[in-house]
């Protein structure tokens, strides 16, 4: 099993006598260590798979880990193994302990947009805060939750009137979620930690259930995630964490690279093993990465090395302006693909901010080069699509509390958060879905007469639509429903321009066309008596997952993505564009004193490259209607000059270099035609 591992990896695999920190550099095979260690625990240590849990940060990483473990061991041996994200683990804990936590079955998980709408409603009705501060309020509440700061504690710590107003809003938001029998994304971590700190019996039960814990990407943990891990392993200290402080690039969402150092304080017997052999990149790329990141302070030093040889020098290409920069990148891709006989998918163009992709797209389209932007918004993630899907979900399943909460006041029906809180509180006591409780006589003692009238009017309307949906032509009924709700008017009221409102309405039209296509296909396949509309809508709900799987398929396209999105990936040939002050490092980060984070982000970009790394910058750039000279990124000067070839910095390439480039291109053409 461990024969394919190097000595340090084998040591990490076999160490089970106490807590272990594996400080794993980029491309050092950390996933192999985690997956093979799980197999080692089951096979050699005879620990049942159901008592092992491995947690990471993305569903994609969890799927990859599961697939690797499945390739190592028979399915029967890994039955009961937990491999999930932190948030999925938290959700499992909440569902298992829902009775102790006071949730009724089928509690809802509100996504970011649902939470934003709820906070906005609360701000408009119960707060003196300007609702233009909605994003600030949402970020602040999220930060408090990831720091495990309860509403009362946030209010006690408030040092200004503004902070007090935010803390009071946090209290109202917390009450509203409880009344709705709902949680938000941050609650999936905060609630289990609070439960474990308050209920020793439940904590012991989970410590008995999870007897060995492995954590990937540990440098990305926030305070709540750290405390969740600490609670679970406090008794046995059976823990392996894998991380790299040099790749901690998520401070904006609460990640704390210092959690790696905190481990040494909380676990006095912590063993540290460094993985420094890189299996991805050439020597020059790694030397550049090491030299750059040495400018950051380190509690534990490491240096990546490789057996892949020195490789090509790194290149810095300077262009006259941002358009010529993107044109040069595209031409380089064409030239390198021809000379090296590689695929478009071997190339990645990385940038600091999403807006930088626009010009790249234009120049790629001019040359008919296929490309894919990673991190773009899914069709089903668009607000208007989620709204219409929520209507459809509620029509076919009145017990869907999450769907009801999303659209009961969209468009506005004067059913505010107070009415919904009262309905939610009543439904919690009755342990019934919200929709079902609206008709109960006793609800009149909880909800105001006006609020109750509006709720019942809404319920009757939904029931009438539901009846017609099964008896009439479904698409006509849905279009009439949207017309009755004046959803188009709602789009115009809330869009920044008429053009955007029309585009959103066209998205809805496309969704309904998709639904019709599914219905037409199902007509021939659905047995008599089956409810084809329910089947079609259920299939449409799953379309988003299918779309994401399609996006992850290996297609021959140039990959465009932000440096943040590139983490964990690798490409034969990497371009990093916009190597300028105020872009990388970003102006906001510079002003906030977060240069170390920006340097780590640059390090991540460099270490994505396997064979070649080309950096580019524009000498002049137009922003906000004004053109001005740029300043080269400070990170360029932190790279080893001997490994860097500079092109276009005011001097033309020498004739010999040009002649060599022409000869190489000509030879590649001849080979192609032969």
């Amino acid at each position: 099993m461990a024969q394919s591992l190097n000595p340090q990896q084998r040591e990490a695999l076999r160490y089970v006598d106490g807590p272990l920190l594996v400080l794993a550099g980029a491309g050092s095979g950390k996933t192999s260590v985690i997956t093979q260690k799980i197999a080692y625990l089951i096979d050699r240590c005879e620990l049942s798979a159901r008592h092992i849990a491995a947690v990471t940060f993305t569903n994609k990483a969890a799927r990859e880990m599961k697939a690797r473990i499945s390739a190592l061991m028979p399915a029967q041996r890994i039955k009961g193994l937990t491999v999930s994200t932190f948030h999925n683990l938290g959700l499992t804990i909440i569902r298992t302990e829902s009775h102790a936590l006071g949730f009724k079955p089928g509690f809802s998980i509100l996504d970011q947009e649902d939470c934003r709408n709820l906070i906005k409603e609360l701000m408009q009705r119960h707060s003196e805060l300007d609702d233009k501060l909605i994003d600030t309020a949402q970020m602040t509440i999220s930060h408090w939750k990831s720091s495990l700061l309860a509403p009362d504690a946030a209010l006690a710590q408030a040092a200004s009137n503004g902070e007090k107003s935010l803390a009071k809003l946090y209290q109202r938001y917390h009450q509203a979620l409880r009344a709705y029998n709902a949680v938000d994304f941050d609650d999936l971590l905060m609630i289990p930690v609070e439960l474990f700190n308050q209920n020793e019996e439940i904590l012991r039960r989970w410590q008995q259930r999870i007897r060995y814990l492995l954590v990937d990407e540990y440098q990305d943990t926030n305070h709540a995630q750290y405390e969740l891990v600490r609670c679970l392993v406090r008794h046995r200290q059976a823990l392996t964490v894998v991380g790299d402080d040099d790749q901690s690039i998520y401070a904006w969402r609460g990640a704390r690279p210092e959690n790696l150092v905190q481990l040494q304080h909380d676990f006095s017997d912590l063993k540290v093993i460094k993985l420094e052999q890189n299996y991805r990149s050439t020597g020059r790329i790694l030397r550049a990465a090491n030299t750059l990141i040495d400018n950051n302070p380190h509690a534990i030093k490491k240096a990546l090395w490789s057996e892949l040889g020195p490789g090509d020098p790194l290149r810095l290409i300077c262009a006259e302006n941002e358009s010529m920069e993107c044109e040069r990148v595209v031409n380089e891709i064409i030239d390198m693909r021809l000379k090296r006989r590689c695929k478009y998918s071997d190339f990645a163009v990385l940038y600091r901010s999403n807006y930088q992709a626009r010009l790249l797209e234009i120049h790629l389209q001019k040359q008919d080069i296929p490309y894919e932007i990673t991190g773009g918004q899914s069709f089903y993630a668009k607000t208007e699509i989620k709204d219409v899907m929520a209507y459809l979900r509620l029509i076919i399943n009145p017990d869907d509390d999450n769907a009801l909460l999303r659209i009961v006041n969209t468009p506005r029906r004067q059913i505010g958060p107070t009415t919904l809180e009262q309905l939610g509180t009543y439904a919690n006591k009755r342990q019934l879905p919200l929709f079902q409780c609206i008709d109960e006589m006793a609800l009149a003692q909880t909800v105001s007469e006006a609020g109750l009238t509006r709720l019942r009017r809404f319920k009757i309307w939904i029931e009438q639509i539901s009846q017609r949906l099964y008896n009439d032509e479904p698409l006509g009924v849905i279009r009439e429903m949207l017309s009755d709700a004046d959803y188009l008017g709602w789009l115009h009221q809330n869009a920044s321009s008429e053009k955007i409102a029309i585009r959103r309405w066209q998205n809805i039209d496309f969704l309904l066309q998709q639904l019709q296509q599914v219905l037409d296909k199902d007509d021939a396949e659905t047995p008599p008596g089956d409810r084809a509309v329910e089947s079609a809508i259920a299939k449409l709900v799953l379309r988003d997952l299918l779309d994401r799987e399609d996006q992850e398929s290996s297609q021959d396209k140039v990959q465009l993505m932000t440096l943040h999105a590139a983490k964990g990936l690798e490409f034969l040939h990497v371009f990093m564009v916009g190597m300028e002050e105020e872009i990388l490092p970003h102006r906001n980060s510079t002003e906030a004193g977060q240069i170390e984070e920006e340097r780590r982000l640059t390090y991540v970009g460099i270490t994505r490259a396997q064979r070649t790394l080309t950096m580019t910058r524009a000498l002049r750039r137009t922003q906000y209607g004004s053109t001005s000279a740029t300043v080269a990124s400070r990170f360029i000067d932190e790279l080893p000059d001997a490994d860097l070839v500079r092109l276009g910095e005011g001097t033309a390439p020498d004739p010999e270099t040009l002649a060599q480039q022409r000869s190489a291109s000509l030879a590649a053409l001849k080979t192609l035609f032969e």
Side-chain angles (χ1 to χ4, degrees):
M1 179 191 301
Q3 290 179 352
S4 60
L5 303 181
N6 64 39
Q8 291 74 29
Q9 290 173 324
R10 281 197 295 273
E11 185 183 8
L13 169 78
R14 293 167 176 164
Y15 185 79
V16 293
D17 296 328
L20 171 66
L21 164 61
V22 181
L23 200 63
S28 61
K30 64 181 179 62
T31 306
S32 295
V33 170
I34 294 175
T35 54
Q36 293 205 36
K37 184 156 192 171
I38 291 170
Y40 183 84
L41 289 167
I42 297 170
D43 194 47
R44 302 292 179 84
C45 302
E46 299 184 350
L47 183 61
S48 172
R50 64 191 177 91
H51 292 311
I52 301 172
V55 290
T56 186
F57 281 83
T58 66
N59 288 321
K60 183 178 179 181
R63 285 198 303 271
E64 180 185 347
M65 204 177 287
K66 283 179 184 175
R68 289 205 192 187
I69 297 165
S70 297
L72 290 172
M73 304 197 79
Q76 192 61 33
R77 298 293 308 277
I78 58 174
K79 189 176 180 181
L81 174 70
T82 297
V83 180
S84 73
T85 63
F86 270 103
H87 290 89
N88 274 329
L89 176 61
L91 178 59
T92 299
I93 294 169
I94 294 172
R95 279 180 174 155
T96 305
E97 309 298 343
S98 60
H99 181 72
L101 288 165
F103 290 107
K104 66 184 176 71
F107 63 86
S108 299
I109 304 171
L110 303 190
D111 66 17
Q112 189 172 12
E113 190 179 346
D114 293 332
C115 296
R116 189 181 192 277
N117 291 336
L118 173 57
I119 292 171
K120 186 176 181 179
E121 287 279 353
L122 293 171
M123 289 176 77
Q124 290 173 340
R125 291 173 176 266
H126 301 287
S127 175
E128 64 274 18
L129 290 168
D130 189 331
D131 61 11
K132 291 178 182 176
L133 296 173
I134 174 67
D135 292 327
T136 300
Q138 189 171 17
M139 285 176 60
T140 302
I141 291 172
S142 177
H143 173 73
W144 279 333
K145 287 193 173 191
S146 66
S147 301
L148 300 177
L149 197 65
D152 292 344
L155 185 60
Q157 291 183 15
S160 66
N161 289 333
E163 288 182 9
K164 286 179 182 176
S165 296
L166 280 171
K168 288 176 182 176
L169 176 66
Y170 180 21
Q171 286 181 319
R172 292 285 303 162
Y173 174 68
H174 175 74
Q175 291 164 5
L177 286 177
R178 279 302 176 131
Y180 294 171
N181 193 45
V183 297
D184 64 18
F185 202 57
D186 296 307
D187 284 331
L188 298 179
L189 300 173
M190 185 178 184
I191 290 174
V193 174
E194 288 182 334
L195 175 66
F196 288 160
N197 286 333
Q198 294 165 7
N199 193 315
E200 189 67 29
E201 182 183 345
I202 290 177
L203 173 59
R204 279 199 302 270
R205 192 160 67 237
W206 279 92
Q207 288 173 336
Q208 185 66 15
R209 177 171 171 174
I210 298 176
R211 301 182 191 179
Y212 203 100
L213 181 65
L214 303 98
V215 186
D216 192 17
E217 303 287 7
Y218 198 73
Q219 76 283 347
D220 293 335
T221 53
N222 60 28
H223 181 59
Q225 287 158 334
Y226 182 89
E227 286 300 315
L228 181 59
V229 169
R230 200 166 69 88
C231 285
L232 289 170
V233 303
R234 192 161 53 206
H235 175 57
R236 285 189 177 83
Q237 299 199 5
L239 171 71
T240 292
V241 304
V242 182
D244 182 5
D245 52 344
D246 292 332
Q247 294 189 77
S248 181
I249 56 174
Y250 297 115
W252 48 275
R253 68 183 189 197
R256 291 157 45 104
E258 57 268 30
N259 282 349
L260 289 168
V261 179
Q262 187 64 35
L263 276 172
Q264 295 176 298
H265 296 292
D266 290 341
F267 299 95
S268 57
D269 295 332
L270 183 74
K271 184 178 179 64
V272 179
I273 296 173
K274 294 190 282 187
L275 303 185
E276 297 172 293
Q277 182 175 358
N278 176 284
Y279 295 93
R280 173 188 300 160
S281 308
T282 60
R284 283 195 173 101
I285 291 171
L286 296 180
R287 184 157 54 237
N290 289 334
T291 306
L292 172 78
I293 208 65
D294 277 347
N295 290 279
N296 274 5
H298 291 85
I300 308 170
K301 287 220 169 196
K302 67 178 187 309
L304 296 176
W305 60 276
S306 169
E307 293 181 341
L308 298 176
D312 294 346
L314 284 64
R315 296 188 300 159
L316 172 66
I317 297 176
C318 300
E320 183 60 33
N321 55 48
E322 64 269 30
S323 181
M324 294 177 71
E325 177 191 25
C326 293
E327 183 180 1
R328 180 65 184 269
V329 169
V330 172
N331 288 339
E332 287 286 333
I333 290 173
I334 294 170
D335 189 50
M336 290 175 67
R337 181 171 176 267
L338 184 65
K339 290 176 182 175
R340 297 174 183 262
R341 306 298 296 273
C342 50
K343 300 175 293 187
Y344 284 124
S345 56
D346 292 332
F347 296 92
V349 186
L350 312 182
Y351 37 82
R352 177 63 176 84
S353 302
N354 280 307
Y355 75 87
Q356 293 173 265
R358 295 171 196 155
L359 267 178
L360 285 164
E361 286 190 87
I362 291 170
H363 286 283
L364 286 163
Q365 289 166 3
K366 280 182 182 177
Q367 300 291 346
D368 292 325
I369 295 176
Y371 65 90
E372 179 176 39
I373 298 181
T374 299
Q377 188 185 41
S378 160
F379 176 75
Y380 289 88
K382 297 179 186 296
T383 302
E384 62 274 14
I385 300 304
K386 290 170 73 174
D387 285 347
V388 175
M389 289 302 298
Y391 272 106
L392 298 180
R393 282 163 43 207
L394 185 64
I395 288 168
I396 67 170
N397 177 20
D399 292 350
D400 191 333
D401 286 353
N402 204 359
L404 183 145
L405 290 171
R406 182 176 183 92
I407 51 87
V408 69
N409 206 36
T410 304
R412 293 193 188 282
R413 299 182 176 88
Q414 295 182 298
I415 302 173
T418 301
T419 299
L420 292 174
E421 276 186 47
Q422 292 166 346
L423 173 63
T425 301
Y426 179 86
N428 274 338
K429 289 178 181 176
R430 294 280 291 125
Q431 292 286 294
L432 293 171
L434 297 171
F435 196 82
Q436 188 175 330
C437 289
I438 292 173
D439 277 340
E440 296 207 350
M441 296 297 294
L443 184 62
Q445 299 172 13
T446 304
V447 178
S448 69
E449 184 179 349
L452 191 58
T453 299
R454 295 184 186 112
L455 282 172
R456 288 176 175 167
R457 187 186 304 142
F458 171 77
K459 185 174 188 288
I460 291 168
W461 182 64
I462 290 291
E463 288 172 338
Q464 289 172 343
I465 293 166
S466 180
Q467 290 173 3
R468 291 186 56 207
L469 194 71
Y470 294 113
N471 299 317
D472 299 341
E473 194 274 312
L475 266 293
V477 174
I478 294 168
R479 291 186 187 278
E480 190 176 327
M481 173 191 74
L482 294 174
S483 176
D484 287 348
D486 191 22
Y487 193 83
L488 179 58
W490 169 256
L491 289 178
H492 280 286
Q493 289 172 25
N494 290 275
S496 57
S497 70
E498 185 177 353
K499 187 176 180 181
I500 290 175
I502 292 171
R503 188 185 307 142
R504 290 176 177 169
W505 184 253
Q506 290 171 340
N507 287 337
I508 293 172
D509 193 56
F510 181 69
L511 174 74
L512 298 184
Q513 289 175 32
Q514 288 185 314
L515 180 58
Q516 185 64 61
Q517 289 171 4
V518 177
L519 281 167
D520 291 343
K521 184 178 179 182
D522 281 359
D523 278 346
E525 300 174 1
T526 305
D530 275 20
R531 310 188 85 170
V533 177
E534 287 185 14
S535 172
I537 292 172
K539 288 178 181 178
L540 214 56
V541 169
L542 294 175
R543 279 279 178 93
D544 187 26
L545 296 176
L546 296 174
D547 285 350
R548 290 179 192 174
E549 287 178 6
D550 288 343
Q551 288 174 10
E552 291 171 8
S553 65
S554 54
Q555 297 175 335
D556 191 22
K557 297 179 181 180
V558 175
Q559 302 297 305
L560 309 182
M561 66 188 73
T562 63
L563 289 160
H564 283 99
K567 186 170 177 290
L569 304 177
E570 57 185 46
F571 305 93
L572 281 176
H573 309 291
V574 168
F575 290 83
M576 290 173 60
V577 300
M579 293 294 293
E580 301 153 29
E581 290 291 307
E582 300 195 351
I583 294 181
L584 185 64
H586 196 278
R587 180 195 303 175
N588 294 345
S589 298
T590 304
E591 292 173 352
Q594 296 173 338
I595 292 299
E596 290 175 12
E597 173 111 350
E598 293 291 291
R599 187 175 285 112
R600 290 194 292 267
L601 192 57
T602 307
Y603 173 89
V604 165
I606 292 172
T607 53
R608 299 312 93 196
Q610 295 173 283
R611 296 297 175 265
T612 72
L613 174 65
T614 304
M615 294 165 286
T616 68
R617 58 170 289 235
L619 298 174
R620 299 178 67 80
R621 189 174 291 272
T622 301
Q623 289 183 306
Y624 312 112
S626 176
T627 303
S628 58
T630 66
V631 176
S633 169
R634 69 190 71 186
F635 300 141
I636 292 172
D637 290 333
E638 295 178 1
L639 301 176
D641 202 54
D643 293 327
L644 185 64
V645 175
R646 298 170 184 259
L647 302 171
E649 287 187 318
T651 58
D654 63 88
E656 185 180 345
T657 302
L658 283 173
Q660 289 174 352
Q661 290 174 347
R662 292 192 189 101
S663 296
S665 296
L666 186 60
L669 278 169
K670 287 179 179 177
T671 305
L672 183 65
F673 287 117
E674 288 170 1

